[in-house]
Amino acid sequence: MRSKECVAMILAGGQGSRLGILTQNVAKPAVPFGGKYRIIDFPLSNCAHSGIDTVGVLTQYQPLELNTYIANGQPWDLDRTNGGVFVLPPYTSAEKGEWYKGTANAIYQNIGFMEQFNPKYVVILSGDHIYKMDYNKMLTAHKKANADATIAVIEVPWDEAPRFGIMNTDENMQIVEFEEKPENPKSNLASMGVYCFSWDVLKKYLMADEADPESENDFGKNIIPAMLGDGLKLMAHRFDGYWKDVGTIQSLWEANMELLDDKPGCDLDDDTWKIFSRNPIKPPQYVGATGSLKNSYTTEGCEIYGKVEHSILFEGVTICEGATVKDSIVLPGAVVNSGASVNKAIIGSDAIIGDGAEIGSTADDANSDYNNTKICSADITLIGPGIKIGNEKKVAVLSMVTDDIC
Amino acid sequence: MKNDMLGVIFSENPEASMGELTSLRSLAAVPLGGRYRIIDFMLSNMVNSGILKVGITTPVNYQSLTDHLGTGKDWDMDRKDDGLYILPPKDTGESDVEAIGGIERLTGISSFLNKSQQEYVLVTDCNTICNIDFDKVLESHLENEADFTLVCTPVKDLSSKDVRKHILLNVDDDNNVTDMHIYPGRQVTDLSYMHMFITRRETLMELVEYASTHGKHQISKDILLPAVTNDQVKVCAYNFTGYRKKIDSIQSFYKANIDMLNKEVRDELFGLSVDKPIFTKIKDSVPTKYAKTAEVENAFIADGCKIEGTVKNSILFRGVHVGKGATVENCILMQDSEVMENCLVENVVFDKGVILRSGKKLVGQDTYPMVIGKEIVV
């Protein structure tokens, strides 16, 4: 194996339970986003553009779809002879077998993988954020500062700071303190879950962390505090682009809708930083004589005969004549039949909405059996993948529909 | 499953006259249907039929074709064994492409034919678009124990002008081709040869060798016709009845594009229900953005477009921008072309990267669309 200066590891094992039915059978990084992408396309494309060609993807929860999607890494130019993308599930060994117990343990269990490339630096990424970032800039800063670890940070509004891991820094951006979800934050620089470590340092701390039975084996809770405690040089690397955690139905919906803004925060139409994805093999979209699209984002294989406003349609979606879709996200292959109306909803892949059905209804007689305000908020209605909604059925706003309604 | 057949596609056709569209590129590389090039249809048909080795002859202007095909990975043809072969011409000193017939092209690739292991070979032109299963053609070829199988399609009511572009076949009840009329003056039969045939690879090599050493040029006239008229050689027909369109002129190019606005044509041509999709080069374009001011009716639109104006009865390729207040009707706008604010365009074909400045008006004839050449700024 040839040496690599830098290897990236993407933590993609999380369930993303707050996305409800959308992550019942798929890991969160495989959730569709923005018309033709999946969340993991963002870190993978960032790696490709940053010149990192050796990437480990750590999977655990429902990995089938994610594995199939990543496959040989060809869409991200990661089908390399030297390096490339590697899906790394938990495994058993002669002594024991165990799941990934935490983020640090997941990396610990793959020390052998990384050692093959004899890296100087390791970049640790999470597979559940939407952002375009040049990791190479961060690595350059890391080297220049002669740091042991560099953590990407982003300024968040002060009132939201208590929801994040906050980095308190000195005037040189060296981290002096790390506070996880502080009640009274001293800074509004939030950790993005993007770390760059000098490998020899990280390896030492991973081993020590593993030996500590009290540890939760987590980067934020254990590794970073331990390094700070030992007086290591940890630098904050300021990122001032768009960065969004899409961990909830509401944030997922918002992040999608922000693409429709006149000046979107995350401009996908950027030839210098294309987000690569596994493209469907489908013909262009067709808009029929009765179809209309306003302020919307659509992609290949769609057939549109109805009215679509302020919405995002994924590949192969059919909107029949007389149907209206507003403020919604329609995932791949879903069908909205004649006369149906879909209002502020996320329609799962291959779901079928019957003739004249109403999704996100505020009518008194609407079906509210699936009301779920734990998952759904901001009047968003969620229809699960492959769910069939019968003709003329009304599904109440804030529902998460997990069974067919006939 | 893979079969024991080699594919050969001619990227040029001397009989096609595409004007401006082929001044900078080969016929096979002419953009079509929003995100495709002409070659994608024949090449995808071969891939979907289990053909693992395809050679494409490229006499002239093949840069855009090689850019498009690359290593063949978008067709899953980047293989260790077999795969895609782009076959540039041998330098014969002949500069006049028109004078070079199919026999010379096959002679030029004799080492490719010779080195291939496949028992059978399928030879086709590039410029007919259809969704055809060549595995079935091979099956019929084997069943008939034929020496040649010619793919043909029913035609009716050809005008006296059109009929001269056809090769018409007489076929008996047992599928045997009994006679062949090359570019006749009137419609003598209702079966037209589609310029696709199967034979044994070694048979083809022998016949090409014989023909080229006897001053022959044309595959149809000098190889197929003698085979048809020779009682010792069994030539069969395979009747293809699906949608097909031969692209050999600006009008037929325009019609083939406009045909895709028809749902039945789309469903069949793009093979979605039968899992025989048409592959093309992946560009990773963003989804198409329709602005609040967009008015779109009966249009076939690829990814990466930005539509702020009105689009009707048109085909838009990847990355086209239609500005506010602009109207585009009955048009084919190729990749990255731009119609700025308040323009009016009707019956026009824009080649790649054409820019129409604000407020301009361009109207072509509905019988003969106007073609604006690559990267022209109007």
Side-chain angles (χ1 to χ4, degrees), chain A residues 138-377:
Chain A
M138 180 175 173
L139 181 62
T140 307
H142 178 85
K143 285 193 257 185
K144 204 173 155 200
N146 210 3
D148 296 301
T150 300
I151 301 172
V153 293
I154 187 162
E155 260 183 57
V156 294
W158 281 96
D159 60 325
E160 286 181 28
R163 295 193 358 232
F164 293 92
I166 294 296
M167 299 291 165
N168 299 323
T169 61
D170 66 14
E171 67 281 6
N172 298 320
M173 289 301 279
Q174 182 165 344
I175 299 165
V176 293
E177 191 186 12
F178 169 71
E179 290 181 288
E180 183 71 36
K181 300 188 173 132
E183 250 178 74
N184 300 303
K186 296 184 205 119
S187 145
N188 65 340
L189 292 176
S191 165
M192 295 164 62
V194 173
Y195 308 95
C196 176
F197 292 101
S198 295
W199 174 234
D200 51 347
V201 177
L202 176 64
K203 191 177 152 191
K204 206 171 87 192
Y205 277 82
L206 286 174
M207 311 257 256
D209 178 68
E210 188 62 19
D212 175 6
E214 301 293 307
S215 174
E216 290 178 57
N217 308 114
D218 185 86
F219 274 98
K221 287 183 189 136
N222 308 103
I223 302 285
I224 302 298
M227 285 182 170
L228 278 172
D230 291 350
L232 264 50
K233 189 171 187 188
L234 273 66
M235 300 298 292
H237 177 76
R238 195 187 280 266
F239 175 74
D240 51 14
Y242 178 97
W243 175 80
K244 185 127 183 162
D245 179 13
V246 286
T248 63
I249 287 295
Q250 186 177 339
S251 63
L252 180 68
W253 182 86
E254 284 170 0
N256 273 283
M257 289 303 149
E258 278 165 16
L259 297 173
L260 300 174
D261 292 349
D262 287 337
K263 291 227 176 337
C266 188
D267 189 6
L268 300 178
D269 192 5
D270 177 356
D271 280 344
T272 62
W273 207 272
K274 275 188 181 179
I275 302 304
F276 302 128
S277 65
R278 195 169 282 282
N279 280 240
I281 310 298
K282 297 250 165 92
Q285 52 202 279
Y286 174 74
V287 185
T290 53
S292 102
L293 289 138
K294 306 267 182 198
N295 197 19
S296 292
Y297 228 31
T298 56
T299 185
E300 281 147 7
C302 288
E303 297 259 335
I304 296 135
Y305 304 92
K307 301 217 176 312
V308 178
E309 200 187 325
H310 194 241
S311 293
I312 293 187
L313 310 184
F314 284 71
E315 45 118 349
V317 162
T318 305
I319 309 293
C320 296
E321 194 172 340
T324 59
V325 176
K326 203 176 167 223
D327 303 327
S328 295
I329 301 163
V330 187
L331 301 186
V335 178
V336 178
N337 279 309
S338 302
S341 80
V342 175
N343 203 5
K344 204 173 184 185
I346 300 177
I347 308 293
S349 306
D350 301 313
I352 299 174
I353 311 300
D355 291 351
E358 202 182 327
I359 308 301
S361 171
T362 49
D364 292 340
D365 60 343
N367 180 330
S368 58
D369 296 353
Y370 294 91
N371 182 282
N372 189 332
T373 46
K374 231 171 88 193
I375 299 293
C376 300
S377 55

Side-chain angles (χ1 to χ4, degrees), chain A residues 36 282 285-286 296 299, chain B residues 35 283 285 290 298 301 303:
Chain A
K36 64 186 294 190
K282 297 250 165 92
Q285 52 202 279
Y286 174 74
S296 292
T299 185
Chain B
R35 62 193 290 266
K283 291 262 168 74
S285 315
Y290 295 84
N298 194 31
I301 298 173
D303 274 3

Side-chain angles (χ1 to χ4, degrees), chain B residues 249-264:
Chain B
S249 63
I250 296 288
Q251 290 96 321
S252 56
F253 164 81
Y254 182 79
K255 182 71 168 53
N257 277 283
I258 294 297
D259 275 358
M260 293 179 194
L261 294 173
N262 178 320
K263 183 161 170 59
E264 280 86 50

